[in-house]
Amino acid sequence: MCAGCKHESSRILPVVSRTCRLPRRRGSSGTGAEPPGEGSARPSGPSRSLRVPPRLRGPGRSGEGGAGAMKGAVPGPTPEPFPRRPVLYRRPLPSPWSFSKKSHPFLPKIFRKMSTQSAKERPESLHFPFLDDEDTISTLKESKTFFILRGLPGSGKSTLAQAIHDRYKDACKVISVDNYKITPSIRSTIPEEYSKVDEDLVDYCKRDISVIVLDDTHHERERLDQLFDIADKYRYKIIFAEPKTQWRMDCLQLKEKNQWKLSVDELKKMKPSLEKEFLPMYFGWFLSKRSSEILRKAGQAFLDELGSLKAFKKESKYFASAIDDPKMKTDLTSYFVKRPPGVLHCTTKYTEFGKAAGAEEYAQQEVVKASYGKGFTLSISALFITTKTVGARVDLSEQQLQLWPGDADKILPTDNLPRGSRAHITLGCANGVEAVQTGLDLLEFVKLEKAGNKGDQVGEIGGGKLLYFDNGMWMLTLSKKIDVRAIFSGYYGKGKLVPTQSTNKRGSAFSSCTII
């Protein structure tokens, strides 16, 4: 509707300028002033008259203010007639709801937001932290993540995949097995067609696509193991997601909904493998790619500076294998030759795919279910090394402690350490040492602190105080904590330590510029 003259925008109008020049309707309450004709001055005061284009005047209408003038016109000076122009026709304006951010980038934000479905508008079956929580979404965009969708055919996986793609836009790629014509079923071997799926998946991994959605039933452990190996190789974290539709396990309804026309019996054969929750080797917070780089650089700087200190060289007997020349700095990057597989992380609960004591109970806690796939910010308060490991000390918040098992800080039944004392991120391990040792080493520091041994202050390096606790135990307490962003999820791979990607002159698997 035109402002001031109250004409419907859908009416076909002759266009002579950007502003409608049709006469006001009788009784119009518009307050906007009429624009002047081209080349004429704007009339002022209440005596201004309405102008009617000559081509709109009917027979007997000789001009404004005469006998044939339109009723309701205000007497006043007769303006110059409009110049003749070609008659154009205006299309009806589209509804604001048809605007999209992509096709109308010039629109105000309020219109652009209309094209994105809000959390309140989404059905209950599409409520997940990675779709609703803005902190989680921003963390995932700076991470590398596989979303592995699981469920029976027709349960709503493709709808969920589309919702993820709509949320992450260009940062997301969806690989739907349906497009490769692979029929879901119980089978003895994995079909050869999956090799093409993996080719496309690896291509996305090499391009560092932030979010890769894998839309398949994923009811076979053999197939999942193949995906876990790819995730480890390219350092992607994994989030399992299952549809929350009411019919997801109702084979009678799924028979009508699945595109493969599978029978009820065929669906029932796949159902048992999808009914039980697939537990990881361990739960934990997995750092984003950007946060991993920040922590890696901080750890590398710590090792480089520590290895060049005279105070460290005096105690270098504990790191004898890292010394080439006593006059040169100690090469600690060649000493810590292994790193954990996959993404840098802080483990909460070791579950061993459901076999560990208390695994099922931990996984069924409401706080664990609600936090799975959600973003968190962890606080790094110190970096430390021992003769076995190098790691980062994590200070957990009250909210994060809810995900921390009560027995995680106990090695002996008599241990009584503050909850969260063992929270750490492993940065590297000496040859022959497993990553679990990092947490045990950190507990030794905590026990010494509890006993009153705060360590000998050696000096200040790298933005913190360097402390020595004897026996090759060094800790750098940071003057300013490092905040890192992470996603709470699980690790589902084989869990074997892997060498770093480069070799140096000593033949070590460690590069001189990276320890992660």
Side-chain angles (χ1 to χ4, degrees):
M1 182 175 289
C2 299
C5 62
K6 305 300 181 183
H7 286 108
E8 295 292 338
S9 60
S10 60
R11 180 178 174 184
I12 297 177
L13 304 174
V15 177
V16 293
S17 76
R18 290 182 178 272
T19 308
C20 177
R21 299 186 184 276
L22 287 180
R24 296 178 188 267
R25 289 182 179 175
R26 181 181 299 179
S28 171
S29 58
T31 57
E34 296 288 336
E38 294 187 12
S40 63
R42 179 185 293 271
S44 60
S47 63
R48 183 183 171 201
S49 64
L50 288 172
R51 297 166 303 192
V52 183
R55 61 179 175 274
L56 294 182
R57 298 172 189 158
R61 295 184 180 180
S62 58
E64 297 180 19
M70 186 178 292
K71 292 181 180 181
V74 182
T78 303
E80 296 181 9
F82 287 128
R84 285 285 185 179
R85 290 187 181 181
V87 178
L88 303 177
Y89 295 95
R90 177 178 296 158
R91 291 182 179 179
L93 288 175
S95 165
W97 296 103
S98 66
F99 293 144
S100 68
K101 181 178 179 180
K102 184 175 181 181
S103 59
H104 299 278
F106 55 86
L107 289 175
K109 286 184 178 180
I110 187 171
F111 290 126
R112 296 203 302 264
K113 289 181 179 179
M114 291 176 182
S115 64
T116 303
Q117 197 176 32
S118 67
K120 292 182 179 180
E121 293 172 333
R122 282 195 299 271
E124 187 66 28
S125 60
L126 291 178
H127 279 255
F128 295 88
F130 49 80
L131 292 178
D132 300 337
D133 184 65
E134 292 298 332
D135 288 338
T136 300
I137 293 167
S138 60
T139 300
L140 286 170
K141 285 183 177 180
E142 65 179 45
S143 304
K144 298 197 301 182
T145 308
F146 283 178
F147 277 95
I148 298 181
L149 308 188
R150 296 184 82 217
L152 290 168
S155 59
K157 299 185 301 299
S158 296
T159 302
L160 176 56
Q162 185 62 49
I164 297 174
H165 182 269
D166 291 345
R167 203 68 173 88
Y168 293 88
K169 304 293 184 183
D170 294 338
C172 174
K173 296 293 183 182
V174 176
I175 295 180
S176 175
V177 175
D178 293 349
N179 297 332
Y180 297 81
K181 308 303 180 185
I182 302 175
T183 305
S185 63
I186 297 295
R187 50 213 167 196
S188 56
T189 58
I190 301 299
E192 293 182 0
E193 289 82 359
Y194 274 105
S195 61
K196 175 57 179 172
V197 176
D198 291 345
E199 285 180 15
D200 293 341
L201 174 59
V202 168
D203 178 62
Y204 289 149
C205 292
K206 290 179 178 178
R207 289 160 53 186
D208 282 345
I209 300 298
S210 295
V211 175
I212 301 176
V213 182
L214 298 162
D215 180 7
D216 195 5
T217 54
H218 292 122
H219 61 284
E220 298 159 305
R221 179 57 190 264
E222 183 182 354
R223 174 58 187 159
L224 289 172
D225 284 340
Q226 294 174 351
L227 297 177
F228 299 155
D229 289 343
I230 295 174
D232 272 358
K233 182 176 181 179
Y234 295 97
R235 300 191 193 183
Y236 273 76
K237 65 174 65 69
I238 286 175
I239 296 177
F240 274 99
E242 299 182 11
K244 298 180 180 179
T245 52
Q246 296 179 351
W247 63 85
R248 62 186 179 276
M249 287 296 176
D250 188 337
C251 293
L252 289 175
Q253 290 193 59
L254 292 173
K255 175 182 176 294
E256 305 300 326
K257 292 179 178 292
N258 82 88
Q259 64 166 319
W260 301 103
K261 306 301 181 183
L262 299 179
S263 66
V264 173
D265 289 339
E266 289 173 314
L267 292 167
K268 285 184 177 179
K269 289 179 180 178
M270 287 188 285
K271 186 176 178 179
S273 59
L274 293 167
E275 284 181 317
K276 190 175 182 181
E277 185 177 359
F278 192 90
L279 296 186
M281 178 178 283
Y282 50 80
F283 285 95
W285 292 283
F286 294 80
L287 271 62
S288 71
K289 180 183 177 182
R290 183 172 180 274
S291 291
S292 294
E293 291 171 353
I294 292 172
L295 184 56
R296 174 190 62 77
K297 290 178 181 178
Q300 186 65 55
F302 171 49
L303 290 186
D304 288 344
E305 196 162 357
L306 182 62
S308 63
L309 292 178
K310 291 182 178 180
F312 182 79
K313 290 180 179 180
K314 290 180 181 179
E315 301 294 331
S316 61
K317 60 184 178 181
Y318 297 104
F319 302 89
S321 62
I323 301 175
D324 276 334
D325 185 348
K327 296 181 181 180
M328 302 294 290
K329 77 172 184 179
T330 305
D331 187 7
L332 290 174
T333 56
S334 67
Y335 182 84
F336 298 106
V337 295
K338 298 285 185 178
R339 65 166 177 82
V343 181
L344 285 183
H345 63 276
C346 175
T347 303
T348 57
K349 175 67 176 178
Y350 180 74
T351 53
E352 197 181 0
F353 307 110
K355 300 175 184 177
E360 293 285 350
E361 292 79 4
Y362 178 82
Q364 294 303 316
Q365 292 182 45
E366 287 301 321
V367 65
V368 173
K369 290 182 176 180
S371 300
Y372 186 83
K374 185 177 180 180
F376 291 82
T377 299
L378 303 180
S379 183
I380 308 298
S381 62
L383 303 172
F384 62 90
I385 73 164
T386 68
T387 58
K388 299 177 180 178
T389 63
V390 54
R393 188 175 190 173
V394 179
D395 287 352
L396 299 179
S397 66
E398 289 298 323
Q399 180 190 20
Q400 293 158 1
L401 283 173
Q402 296 178 24
L403 294 165
W404 194 255
D407 59 351
D409 306 303
K410 288 187 177 182
I411 305 302
L412 301 173
T414 56
D415 288 343
N416 185 23
L417 300 176
R419 192 173 185 186
S421 296
R422 193 175 178 173
H424 70 280
I425 297 171
T426 299
L427 301 180
C429 299
N431 199 20
V433 177
E434 296 297 323
V436 67
Q437 184 64 43
T438 314
L440 301 177
D441 287 351
L442 178 56
L443 288 180
E444 291 300 318
F445 282 101
V446 177
K447 289 179 181 179
L448 290 172
E449 291 172 344
K450 187 178 180 181
N453 182 358
K454 303 298 183 180
D456 297 327
Q457 184 170 337
V458 178
E460 293 192 5
I461 65 169
K465 294 180 180 179
L466 181 62
L467 306 174
Y468 182 53
F469 288 81
D470 294 330
N471 300 318
M473 299 173 62
W474 299 80
M475 178 174 285
L476 176 66
T477 58
L478 301 173
S479 55
K480 183 179 180 181
K481 295 181 179 181
I482 302 174
D483 288 338
V484 293
R485 305 177 78 174
I487 298 292
F488 183 74
S489 183
Y491 173 74
Y492 299 87
K494 296 181 176 64
K496 295 181 180 179
L497 289 173
V498 295
T500 49
Q501 295 177 347
S502 304
T503 58
N504 60 18
K505 63 180 181 178
R506 296 173 58 91
S508 162
F510 254 116
S511 165
S512 61
C513 63
T514 178
I515 64 170
I516 305 304

